[in-house]
Amino acid sequence: MLGKGKIAALGFQHVLAMYAGAVIVPLLIGGALGFNGEEMTYLVSIDIFMCGIATLLQLTVNRFFGIGLPVVLGCAVQAIAPIILIGQDMGIGAIYGSIIVSGLFVLLIAPFFSKVVRFFPPVVTGSVVTVIGLTLIPVAINNLAGGAGAKDFGSMYNLGLGFGTLLLIILVYRFGQGFSKAIAVLIGLVGGSLFAALYKGISLGPVSEASWFHMPKPFYFGTPTFEWPAIITMILIALVSMVESTGVYFALSDITERKLTQKDLTRGYRAEGLAIMLGGVFNTFPYTAYSQNVGLVQLSGIKTRKVIYAAAGFLIVLGLIPKIGAVTTIIPTPVLGGAMVAMFGMVVAQGIKMLGKVNFTSQENLLIIACAVGVGLGVTVVPDLFNAFPSFVRLFTSNGIVAGSVTAITLNIIFNMIPHRNDKKVADPKPQHAE
């Protein structure tokens, strides 16, 4: 039985795991659209606050919404580029108008989208989860080296700090007992940050500049407008997020040993639709299930929703008190990268575990896995592969997770769901090996 203190520590560990991924979305979008310091502070704070609200929607199970798995929701990274383009071409109002409509779209299609569960046998879900983990590994390695574009990228200091954090997590997990093993990632993040502070110093500027209190304001950036090109774009992004979330749901269902039903999936998609609509109202961004927290659930071995409730509570508090929330932004990038290697690697391991249920004597299944992983990882490594395609097509083809998922689903339909003439078998009236 976990005490309140342990639940709080585990919840905060989940916050640290997803925090960098969550805040990078408003930072990149706000920077590209020329937001000033005050606007950026609001954008980051309300984003973190709404991550907590969105997570609560998924945790709270009722007849209408909530999947009830230990899932954490955060801003969809794949929405960054389209949102920037919409903002530059049609204005800020068009961004939030299209987000609200896309959330309503997810709400309406949830019952129909959940019916595709039969298209997700272990050969598909295992491939998708493996692809999710593999496509996240480059992000972890870039951060471990200092972050893409950093002047000291790959320096001995960054590599030492990143791999040192990873080594600390491994040592705690190997030699720790009970609760300390469960918070190995949190210990690694704290230890790596303390070393960086003592050796090179950490800037406390973001903390001193942040305000003490902040209240969410509906339509902070003005009245939303509704432009069809923007709406269609955000609906496509919502579909991409639903595919990604489906893989996360099945990974968590496997970890928690809970079989998902069509109704469970419908409630999960509805919760995301509500979260997206609220994001549009309070001027944040589309939400999706975060893969990094799947790895943390697997790594810690703690599967209770109480921990995620604690994480959601922390996110809400951090969103209301920007000065406290800013403390988590000063964790050095290599330290985050070192922790991400372990967490994202666990997502890959979970995918491989799910593939263990697949019949590997079937060459068709082997080809499904090979092509799904190959396409997903290939698109991630060479993101410019489909640059000659129209922009709305690139929304799907430029995302390794979606490309790998579509490949796995399509090949599974071709090989395992469409009847083949050669599959017809005539029953033998007599046993071939009579005793």
Side-chain angles (χ1 to χ4, degrees), residues 239-261:
L239 288 170
V240 169
S241 298
M242 291 176 78
V243 172
E244 184 174 356
S245 291
T246 302
V248 172
Y249 295 158
F250 279 107
L252 285 170
S253 73
D254 189 72
I255 293 171
T256 58
E257 299 178 349
R258 174 189 156 192
K259 187 176 180 180
L260 291 178
T261 65

Side-chain angles (χ1 to χ4, degrees), residues 334-385:
V335 172
L336 284 173
M340 285 177 178
V341 169
M343 291 185 296
F344 295 166
M346 287 302 292
V347 176
V348 177
Q350 180 61 29
I352 295 171
K353 179 184 175 184
M354 295 170 73
L355 288 173
K357 301 176 182 178
V358 176
N359 176 17
F360 283 111
T361 61
S362 166
Q363 292 295 321
E364 289 84 356
N365 285 340
L366 291 176
L367 187 60
I368 292 170
I369 297 167
C371 291
V373 174
V375 170
L377 190 57
V379 169
T380 302
V381 175
V382 188
D384 299 331
L385 182 65

Side-chain angles (χ1 to χ4, degrees), residues 22-33 35-50 75 83 92 95-96 214 220-221 279 282-285 287 319:
V23 299
I24 196 66
V25 176
L27 288 175
L28 291 176
I29 293 173
L33 297 180
F35 286 7
N36 59 36
E38 182 181 346
E39 291 170 332
M40 287 294 288
T41 298
Y42 174 84
L43 200 61
V44 172
S45 297
I46 192 61
D47 167 55
I48 295 303
F49 176 83
M50 286 307 302
C75 285
I83 286 176
I92 305 300
I95 293 175
Y96 295 111
H214 149 96
Y220 179 88
F221 292 107
F282 287 98
N283 292 166
T284 60
F285 306 108
Y287 291 92

Side-chain angles (χ1 to χ4, degrees), residues 78-268:
Q78 58 264 31
I80 293 174
I83 286 176
I84 290 173
L85 291 174
I86 292 170
Q88 291 173 339
D89 295 342
M90 305 175 200
I92 305 300
I95 293 175
Y96 295 111
S98 61
I99 289 175
I100 292 171
V101 175
S102 68
L104 178 62
F105 173 81
V106 172
L107 271 177
L108 295 176
I109 70 161
F112 307 100
F113 201 84
S114 63
K115 292 180 180 179
V116 303
V117 65
R118 64 192 184 93
F119 295 102
F120 290 88
V123 68
V124 172
T125 55
S127 298
V128 170
V129 173
T130 302
V131 168
I132 288 174
L134 289 174
T135 56
L136 291 171
I137 292 295
V139 178
I141 295 299
N142 270 319
N143 283 335
L144 186 147
K151 293 181 180 180
D152 59 346
F153 184 87
S155 67
M156 291 299 294
Y157 171 77
N158 286 343
L159 294 180
L161 190 57
F163 281 113
T165 299
L166 178 59
L167 178 61
L168 179 57
I169 292 171
I170 293 171
L171 291 175
V172 172
Y173 201 79
R174 170 62 181 85
F175 298 106
Q177 298 292 328
F179 181 65
S180 63
K181 180 183 288 190
I183 60 168
V185 173
L186 177 58
I187 293 172
L189 290 170
V190 173
S193 299
L194 286 175
F195 178 83
L198 294 172
Y199 184 80
K200 205 172 183 178
I202 292 179
S203 173
L204 298 177
V207 180
S208 61
E209 294 171 7
S211 59
W212 277 106
F213 189 72
H214 149 96
M215 276 297 294
K217 298 178 183 177
F219 307 119
Y220 179 88
F221 292 107
T223 306
T225 59
F226 302 94
E227 306 285 346
W228 277 112
I231 289 171
I232 293 171
T233 299
M234 292 314 300
I235 285 176
L236 291 173
I237 291 296
L239 288 170
V240 169
S241 298
M242 291 176 78
V243 172
E244 184 174 356
S245 291
T246 302
V248 172
Y249 295 158
F250 279 107
L252 285 170
S253 73
D254 189 72
I255 293 171
T256 58
E257 299 178 349
R258 174 189 156 192
K259 187 176 180 180
L260 291 178
T261 65
Q262 183 179 319
K263 290 183 179 180
D264 290 329
L265 291 173
T266 298
R267 292 196 302 268

